[in-house]
């Protein structure tokens, strides 16, 4: 119930205006977000990389309604990738970027698909020049078909363009079978959105079972699986399944969000596994923050404490 309410809130303009105007929210935001500028993202990336982690940087924003704004988002990524390269953080994919299709235009009424395609191609070109890759995030269910089509079309020119599969969708095992091929980079996550019961699984156990099934398909295939979860049970299953599939430690990676289970990130990295941290930055943090609150009620308590604190 609480999760449903929070996810509804993530799409509410009124709630967005109210919460973003509250200065004390920023303390909670700082736990999950690098900061507002590319400088902030670079500084945190350098620290994480020095600590043995990989990063994927997300410039916050989604559901762009203005074509110029969509182009500006792509400009920001191009600029960021240039700086990552200049600071020697992007070589060998140590820092890559994650892009939300609706931030670069997918939802625009006027040629949204074409604009998103062109903007992601521009970002992928900058990534290639910087010696790294792009992963295309997956948003709500209404965007899944178009996003997979975008990735498939762009992979003709950018074979290492990554995509995301969400285990809460009933279609996902079938999508994994299609995507578990050589050169394909697939991030598997549970999914941070809602969907009706005909397309989405609604029980936690069902979503977890689907995750384990998708994970086995990806690990048994020829692609590069990126296992994005903080769930201790699924991380244990991943270790066993990777061993059974004969996977070398550098042939797949774990991924976690910045600020969530950092000790587990460090433990996995110390064990020899590749661990990538999803690192968002920017001022448009509202939707991202509310989805993190929806995932864990304890975060809501942190948020309420920050709101009621005088400091
Ligand atoms: P689950 O939610 O069951 O959490 C397991 C445990 O992890 C919790 O018990 C807690 O200990 C810890 N935890 C999880 N979330 C927490 C939080 N917010 N705060 C504190 N602790 C928390 N989704 C999507 O729809 N599209 C996408 O493109 C992506 N991309 C993406 C990239 C990466 C690198 C990650 C890690 C995740 C995503 N996600 C995503 C989000 C994902 O779908 C999912 O919502 C979260 O990862 C939470 O799910 P878990 O698998 O961690 O399990």
């Amino acid at each position: 119930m609480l999760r449903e309410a929070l996810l509804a809130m993530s799409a509410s303009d009124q709630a967005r205006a109210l919460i973003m105007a509250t200065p004390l929210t920023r303390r909670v935001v700082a736990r999950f977000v690098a900061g507002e500028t590319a400088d902030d993202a670079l500084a945190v990336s350098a620290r994480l990389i020095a600590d043995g982690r990989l990063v994927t940087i997300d410039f916050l924003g989604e559901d762009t309604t203005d074509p110029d704004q969509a182009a500006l988002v792509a400009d920001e990524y191009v600029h960021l990738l240039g700086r990552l390269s200049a600071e020697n953080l992007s070589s060998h994919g140590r820092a890559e970027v994650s892009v939300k299709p609706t931030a670069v235009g997918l939802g625009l009424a006027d040629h949204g698909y074409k604009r998103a395609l062109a903007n992601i191609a521009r970002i992928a070109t900058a990534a290639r020049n910087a010696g790294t890759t792009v992963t295309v995030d997956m948003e709500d269910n209404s965007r899944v078909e178009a996003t997979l089509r975008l990735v498939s079309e762009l992979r003709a020119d950018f074979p290492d363009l990554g995509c995301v599969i969400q285990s809460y969708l009933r279609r996902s095992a079938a999508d994994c079978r299609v995507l578990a091929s050589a050169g394909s980079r697939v991030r598997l996550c549970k999914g941070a959105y809602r969907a009706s019961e005909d397309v989405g699984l609604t029980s936690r156990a069902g979503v977890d079972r689907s995750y384990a099934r998708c994970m086995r398909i990806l690990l048994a295939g020829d692609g590069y699986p990126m296992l994005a979860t903080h769930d201790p049970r699924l991380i244990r299953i991943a270790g066993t399944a990777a061993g059974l599939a004969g996977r070398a430690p550098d042939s797949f990676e774990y991924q976690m969000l910045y600020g969530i289970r950092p000790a587990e990130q460090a433990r996995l990295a110390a064990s020899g596994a590749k661990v990538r941290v999803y690192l968002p930055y920017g001022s448009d943090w509202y939707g991202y923050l509310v989805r993190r609150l929806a995932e864990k009620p304890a975060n809501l308590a942190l948020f309420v404490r920050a709101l009621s604190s005088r400091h």
Side-chain angles (χ1 to χ4, degrees):
M1 271 290 277
L2 182 60
R3 180 165 192 264
E4 300 290 301
L6 282 164
L7 287 176
M9 207 173 107
S10 73
S12 153
D13 287 342
Q14 274 170 317
R16 169 189 288 263
L18 186 72
I19 289 180
M20 288 192 80
T22 307
L24 288 169
T25 310
R26 288 177 190 278
R27 199 133 32 98
V28 182
V29 175
R31 182 181 153 194
F32 299 112
V33 172
E36 298 217 337
T37 66
D39 280 342
D40 296 325
L42 285 158
V44 179
S45 297
R47 182 167 55 73
L48 289 167
I49 288 170
D51 229 15
R53 245 78 42 94
L54 308 165
V55 295
T56 182
I57 306 178
D58 165 45
F59 178 54
L60 288 163
E62 50 203 90
D63 297 326
T64 302
T65 54
D66 171 8
D68 292 341
Q69 173 59 23
L72 284 174
V73 171
D75 291 346
E76 173 71 24
Y77 274 106
V78 170
H79 167 77
L80 175 74
L81 284 157
R83 295 211 39 208
L84 285 169
S85 176
E87 299 194 19
N88 195 26
L89 294 169
S90 53
S91 57
H92 309 294
R94 286 183 302 165
E96 65 135 39
V97 295
S98 285
V99 179
K100 285 199 168 34
T102 68
V104 289
L106 185 63
L108 293 172
D110 183 21
H111 296 104
Y113 183 88
K114 268 174 78 178
R115 287 182 201 271
L117 192 84
N119 283 328
I120 297 174
R122 202 146 64 79
I123 298 167
T125 303
R128 177 184 286 165
N129 293 339
T132 192
T133 47
V134 179
T135 299
V136 179
D137 283 342
M138 192 61 84
E139 299 173 86
D140 69 88
N141 183 48
S142 69
R143 308 289 182 202
V144 171
E145 201 58 52
T147 301
L148 290 176
R149 195 149 50 87
L150 265 177
V151 172
S152 159
E153 205 172 329
L154 284 163
R155 280 194 66 214
D157 291 325
F158 305 99
D160 57 8
L161 186 73
C163 70
V164 176
I165 296 296
Q166 301 153 314
S167 74
Y168 86 110
L169 293 178
R170 294 182 189 275
R171 58 179 289 164
S172 289
D175 286 334
C176 285
R177 272 184 215 105
V178 173
L179 288 162
S181 58
S184 162
R185 295 169 59 253
V186 183
R187 174 192 299 156
L188 178 64
C189 65
K190 290 187 187 179
Y193 300 85
R194 296 175 296 172
S196 56
E197 247 187 280
D198 51 333
V199 290
L201 300 162
T202 47
S203 77
R204 274 189 172 266
V207 175
D208 290 0
R209 268 197 303 276
S210 167
Y211 192 105
R213 186 165 168 223
C214 290
M215 179 163 72
R216 287 194 184 97
I217 295 169
L218 293 174
L219 285 167
D222 294 324
Y224 182 77
M226 304 184 279
L227 306 175
T229 181
H230 315 91
D231 187 328
R233 190 166 147 264
L234 288 173
I235 291 170
R236 272 198 307 277
I237 295 174
T240 310
L244 287 173
R247 285 263 172 186
D250 64 353
S251 70
F252 69 103
E253 66 187 41
Y254 295 95
Q255 295 192 343
M256 295 191 201
L257 302 176
Y258 178 64
I260 302 183
R261 302 202 69 206
E264 176 64 1
Q265 295 174 15
R267 185 194 69 80
L268 280 169
S271 76
K274 288 171 83 172
V275 180
R276 191 176 298 275
V277 178
Y278 186 101
L279 180 68
Y281 79 98
S283 51
D284 195 0
W285 39 258
Y286 176 77
Y288 184 84
L289 175 74
V290 175
R291 286 195 293 277
R292 302 295 77 81
L293 296 178
E295 278 154 9
K296 193 164 182 186
N299 289 340
L300 200 58
L302 191 79
F303 182 64
V304 170
R305 267 205 305 281
L307 287 179
S308 58
S309 154
R310 285 166 189 279
H311 305 290

